[in-house]
Amino acid sequence: MSAVLSSAPAQTSVRPQVDGFHLVIDALKLNGINTIFGLPGIPITDLTRMAQAEGMRVISFRHEQHAGNAAAAAGFLTQKPGICLTVSAPGFLNGLTALANATTNCFPMILISGSSEREIVDLQQGDYEEMDQLAIAKTLCKAAYRVLHAQDIGVGIARAIRAALSGRPGGVYLDLPAKLFAQTMDAAAGKASLIKVVDPAPRQIPAPDAVQRALALLKGAKRPLIVLGKGAAYARADADVRALVERSGIPYLPMSMAKGLLPDNHEQSASAARSYVLEQADVVMLVGARLNWLLSHGKGKTWGAPNPKQFIQIDIAPTEIDSNVAIAAPLIGDIGSCVAALLAGMGANWAKPAAEWTDSIAERKDKNLSKMAATLALNPSPMNFHSALGAIREVVKARPDAIVVNEGANTLDFTRSIVDMYEPRKRLDVGTWGIMGIGMGFAVAAAVTTGKPVIAIEGDSAFGFSGMEVETICRYNLPVCVIVFNNNGVYRGTDINASGGADVAPTVFVKGARYDKMMEAFGGVGVNATTPKELTLALNEAIASGRPTLINAVIDETAGTESGRITSLNPQSAAKKK
Ligand code: ADP
Ligand code: TPW
């Protein structure tokens, strides 16, 4: 021991200190955030270790995009911002797709990335993983902040939480330079600097005259329709949304992630007569759904043009109104408050829509549903999308608490229409962008945040984007059953290289691939299923055991269509239509 140290007083009067690492952890925990999805490395490795040591759940991924997708899905499922933690430049960029996608979908999440030293970054002196991350993130999310001093960590986290959750939810970026983590300050002052965010998503009560305007329009409608979007699912006003639909007697259409808000077999569901109701309705009430491409922008043939439509739109974002067509009755507020106000204004004796309207829908529904039943009853060999999904549909019916994650093109479109959902927030999918790659990240988040069985129904191309995360699923022993709809390629497996060359066509994969072996490689269960019966057996077994499972569902490689149901958006088809 050195003379200097040995001559130091045995008891110093130094007060306990806290470092930046612990202030970040404590600030998150103070706000009820107990899970981090991320991927370690300089400068955040110790943060992941310390967070775990402090009792947080740290779910470590193989690629940041999937950690980011997990954070986004966790945000949607819990109404708390999901946290994605990454290293600087490349890790940050890998997480950015998920952050932008979350923002597009109105899911609350916070991407926290470590960053290099400001002085070096700003002079572009070539630091390790140098990048001006804050500037880049700003354009792709709802808000972006940087914290430079330990005493500001509490404010930084509070601002990030409030920005993610308030108003229209979305993604927030929080930049934490490496130096910040090692900064220390007086522990008591540190504790006092943290903020527990009060009322992070304040209710927004709609104006009474806007409520009256909406009710008047609805009352005068001959062929009213309600469209429920994922904003309504997020809002968790489940009982009131159901009461609104049932008391009004108005037929409704759920957008894909709003499926299950009311059970899909509800008699007022117009899903099986979708084109008919969109075309015929005279007054449409949008509840947390945007008139974007998924609803043909509210115009054109889909909407029965030139027949005029009038829209009521419930949304928390006033600037959403009139984005595509004129909205006759905007209702700005949170969905819970707006729906409650409508219910109060409707009273008990609301006149339900004329039988002429509801009967004509029922007639079309019956016809389409019996057509579908006949198709589902067929048992072709090899399986096609219908026969495989017919099997999965029955399993989901028996386990309505299971969460379905879904991506692909045909696999997405057919699952959405064939597999009924019975409970709110049980379906997670490619959302507003139609993005591939959300599969395993969403599945991990669904399992971690709910503990329920997860069934990920994946096109073989879609699965490839996040396939390595089956190791993550095995590592945390999550109750996830991945079903890969293997038709040997993107959309299908039959394209030919027009040049006659040796390379296969750009949409074709290795034929007869065994994705089930990937799960086996990490200790999970792999099953190759060639019939609906085998598929049912394997899926039931996976749900019963809770073990990570991957079912390679062998699908007829000729069964898919180009781009699934959005073929018309391909430039050649779009040009032909003009
Ligand atoms: P979908 O794809 O299901 O049609 P969108 O993502 O297009 O749904 O639309 C969701 C809408 O819901 C967004 O415009 C968003 O502003 C709105 N929204 C989200 N949360 C709430 C809420 N709590 N209250 C009111 N509107 C909300
Ligand atoms: C990030 C474009 C849309 S759907 C799809 C791709 C590549 C895959 C379709 O094949 P899959 O499904 O999954 O085998 P199926 O049932 O038709 O056989 N990159 C991103 N997002 C998108 N949407 C694409 C590419 C695409």
Side-chain angles (χ1 to χ4, degrees), residues 290-292 297 299 313 319-327:
R290 286 170 286 188
L291 282 176
N292 55 18
H297 303 280
K299 49 195 170 195
Q313 184 162 20
T319 49
E320 185 56 40
I321 306 305
D322 302 333
S323 61
N324 285 270
V325 295
I327 302 296

Side-chain angles (χ1 to χ4, degrees), residues 106 168-169 229-231 234-235 255 288-290 292 315-316 333-335:
C106 317
R168 172 183 277 178
K230 59 178 164 324
Y234 173 78
M255 299 300 288
R290 286 170 286 188
N292 55 18
D315 207 293
I316 202 153
D334 67 278
I335 283 164

Side-chain angles (χ1 to χ4, degrees), residues 196-207:
K196 186 168 166 53
V197 180
V198 176
D199 196 12
R203 278 190 308 156
Q204 238 166 276
I205 314 290

Side-chain angles (χ1 to χ4, degrees), residues 473-523:
I473 290 168
C474 287
R475 186 166 14 108
Y476 294 102
N477 195 23
L478 299 174
V480 174
C481 178
V482 183
I483 305 171
V484 176
F485 273 49
N486 188 355
N487 62 353
N488 297 339
V490 178
Y491 311 134
R492 58 179 173 247
T494 50
D495 276 7
I496 304 287
N497 176 346
S499 79
D503 289 349
V504 294
T507 54
V508 169
F509 293 158
V510 167
K511 299 213 185 255
R514 292 288 302 275
Y515 293 97
D516 48 314
K517 301 282 180 198
M518 287 177 66
M519 195 58 109
E520 285 177 359
F522 302 106

Side-chain angles (χ1 to χ4, degrees), residues 385 408-411 434-436 459-462 465 487 489-492:
F385 290 98
N410 296 279
T411 305
I435 191 173
M436 295 301 114
D460 50 344
S461 164
F465 286 74
N487 62 353
V490 178
Y491 311 134
R492 58 179 173 247

Side-chain angles (χ1 to χ4, degrees), residues 79 104-107 165 167-169 201 227-232 234-236 254-258 287-292 294-295 313-318 320 331-338 431-432:
Q79 283 189 328
T104 301
N105 282 287
C106 317
F107 299 158
L165 291 177
R168 172 183 277 178
V227 176
L228 302 175
K230 59 178 164 324
Y234 173 78
R236 287 182 176 260
M255 299 300 288
S256 72
M257 280 180 59
V287 186
R290 286 170 286 188
L291 282 176
N292 55 18
L294 287 161
L295 281 170
Q313 184 162 20
I314 303 181
D315 207 293
I316 202 153
E320 185 56 40
L331 197 50
I332 302 306
D334 67 278
I335 283 164
S337 302
C338 291
T432 303

